[in-house]
Amino acid sequence: MVLTNGRAVFALKSVRVWYKKDGAARYISHLDVNRVMTRALQHSKLPIWHTEGFNPHPFITFALPLSLGFRGVKESMDMRLLEEVPEQELISKLNQGLPRGIEVYKVTEPVMKPGKIAYGKFDIKLSSDAKTPEELFFMLRSLLAQDTIEVEKHGKKGVKLIDIKPQLGDYTLEKLEDCVQLVITLPAGSVNNVNPSLLVAALENSNNTEVYADITRLDVFDEEGKSFE
């Protein structure tokens, strides 16, 4: 603590909290995740820096919101501490106030700015009541081999038709016992973003078949392919 103009000022320590979002919690919206985390911090009694003003609350920011229904194994939230707290103590106190399906597993110092995020890696497991895994495998392989993959994208300016084929990154496609697994890299930055659900929609539209998708975001990267830290 130091004195500035006669006032006590604490040196703030920024930390990055890493957590998983799975199970029923994947249907909690990003806004509700924010609320859940805020309540957990308030109940934890940890020395968290709060915003100033008439309604002080823990100051937290998230690197990249996760789409509703998606699982996340490497999600992150930044906050500021007024003093040092042992990692395991911070993890334990936060988890005590979090619902099942959201679990903090690591705390680090921030290395990369969230604005640097450009790509995401996704695990997409696909199944269908009308098609066998083998049929789905060939349907998806055929779709990915097309020169163009046009889909409708909803934005602030309305609906527009876009070709997502040039934006598809490296991928692996595998037929499992009860589903098809596609692991793919897609643009996931604040400016350029291709949601994996667009690819699922393209598969459904091109084959007139309803498909169930279980999507997990595995990681996010910067323009150079470096994992977000």
Side-chain angles (χ1 to χ4, degrees):
M1 181 177 70
V2 296
L3 292 177
T4 303
N5 294 328
R7 296 177 56 193
V9 178
F10 289 91
L12 302 179
K13 176 180 174 60
S14 295
V15 296
R16 184 156 287 163
V17 175
W18 302 90
Y19 65 94
K20 299 175 183 179
K21 187 183 180 194
D22 202 349
R26 67 184 187 271
Y27 299 109
I28 298 176
S29 70
H30 176 64
L31 180 60
D32 285 332
V33 169
N34 194 317
R35 291 169 178 160
V36 163
M37 286 295 189
T38 297
R39 285 198 299 267
L41 285 169
Q42 290 171 335
H43 293 159
S44 71
K45 305 300 182 183
L46 289 164
I48 307 299
W49 183 74
H50 287 63
T51 60
E52 299 175 351
F54 293 105
N55 183 31
H57 58 273
F59 179 79
I60 56 177
T61 58
F62 295 83
L64 189 66
L66 189 65
S67 296
L68 188 68
F70 287 18
R71 305 175 195 267
V73 298
K74 193 185 174 185
E75 302 306 300
S76 67
M77 171 187 76
D78 290 357
M79 62 183 188
R80 295 173 182 173
L81 297 173
L82 297 175
E83 60 187 68
E84 293 280 352
V85 179
E87 179 184 7
Q88 290 307 314
E89 178 183 343
L90 198 155
I91 292 173
S92 176
K93 287 187 175 181
L94 277 179
N95 282 333
Q96 287 175 17
L98 293 175
R100 182 177 300 175
I102 298 180
E103 180 186 1
V104 173
Y105 64 90
K106 183 172 65 172
V107 178
T108 64
E109 291 188 10
V111 175
M112 190 183 297
K113 292 183 179 180
K116 294 291 186 180
I117 295 174
Y119 300 101
K121 186 176 183 179
F122 300 89
D123 180 332
I124 309 172
K125 290 184 173 65
L126 302 166
S127 60
S128 171
D129 291 336
K131 301 292 182 179
T132 66
E134 184 175 17
E135 289 173 320
L136 271 181
F137 176 85
F138 287 109
M139 285 165 48
L140 185 54
R141 189 174 71 172
S142 175
L143 176 70
L144 293 170
Q146 293 178 186
D147 293 332
T148 61
I149 303 177
E150 293 188 332
V151 294
E152 290 185 345
K153 185 174 183 179
H154 297 259
K156 294 180 180 179
K157 297 182 180 180
V159 181
K160 62 179 180 179
L161 196 65
I162 64 169
D163 178 16
I164 63 173
K165 177 60 185 286
Q167 303 192 70
L168 303 186
D170 295 336
Y171 68 85
T172 60
L173 180 61
E174 184 178 1
K175 180 177 71 67
L176 304 181
E177 184 176 347
D178 58 350
C179 67
V180 172
Q181 181 184 41
L182 173 67
V183 178
I184 189 168
T185 299
L186 298 169
S190 57
V191 177
N192 188 19
N193 192 306
V194 175
N195 194 300
S197 59
L198 292 177
L199 189 56
V200 177
L203 179 65
E204 291 182 317
N205 294 337
S206 62
N207 294 274
N208 194 28
T209 300
E210 184 177 10
V211 174
Y212 305 107
D214 188 336
I215 303 175
T216 301
R217 187 164 69 191
L218 302 174
D219 203 352
V220 290
F221 311 89
D222 66 7
E223 284 281 0
E224 298 176 355
K226 185 177 180 181
S227 181
F228 184 69
E229 299 178 282

